[in-house]
Amino acid sequence: MGKINSKRKGKRGELEFSNLSKEHGFNTRRSQQYSGINGDADVVGLEGIHIEVKRVERLNIEQALQQAERDKKEGEIPIVAHRRNRETWKVTMRAEDFFKLYKAWRSEK
């Protein structure tokens, strides 16, 4: 029963993060996920970003970031979108990717 609840919570988290992205003007959706097939981002629609979603109370952030890194496509920036119950969404990424995004943002201003 724990595995089913975990999958259900994961699906709910993916929908929540996709909806949050939509609230910010981005056309995202849960990716098609089939049993036994790994490597797809949990949420798709942010070009150049590989999104791994974790909706758990205890998160091994290093392990989650390694999963995003392992599953990303060439040229994508891996991120982990995560939250606990009654907390806001957070995004974790490697510092080098943060600075890459920040420089791109600054150059647009």
Side-chain angles (χ1 to χ4, degrees):
M1 180 157 89
K3 188 168 185 147
I4 292 171
N5 286 339
S6 160
K7 284 186 178 238
R8 195 174 298 140
K9 192 170 188 177
K11 178 181 176 178
R12 214 171 41 240
E14 291 164 7
L15 289 171
E16 282 178 29
F17 190 76
S18 179
N19 288 333
L20 176 66
S21 299
K22 288 175 183 173
E23 288 172 20
H24 287 273
F26 299 101
N27 186 20
T28 59
R29 63 175 172 75
R30 284 185 70 230
S31 66
Q32 296 291 68
Q33 305 216 327
Y34 300 98
S35 263
I37 297 177
N38 293 324
D40 285 339
D42 291 333
V43 172
V44 295
L46 296 181
E47 184 181 342
I49 306 290
H50 178 93
I51 305 168
E52 190 65 42
V53 177
K54 300 295 183 186
R55 180 69 171 78
V56 295
E57 294 304 299
R58 292 183 166 274
L59 175 61
N60 180 330
I61 192 62
E62 189 58 39
Q63 191 174 49
L65 201 49
Q66 286 173 5
Q67 179 184 355
E69 175 70 30
R70 190 172 52 248
D71 293 348
K72 75 179 178 70
K73 291 179 176 71
E74 182 76 28
E76 287 184 326
I77 292 175
I79 69 164
V80 178
H82 53 98
R83 88 173 185 92
R84 293 179 182 167
N85 291 335
R86 297 174 295 284
E87 290 190 12
T88 60
W89 280 97
K90 292 149 188 85
V91 171
T92 300
M93 63 175 41
R94 297 175 307 183
E96 67 184 69
D97 290 329
F98 168 77
F99 290 119
K100 188 184 311 178
L101 290 176
Y102 185 73
K103 284 178 186 175
W105 175 76
R106 289 294 299 168
S107 69
E108 289 180 9
K109 293 188 104 186

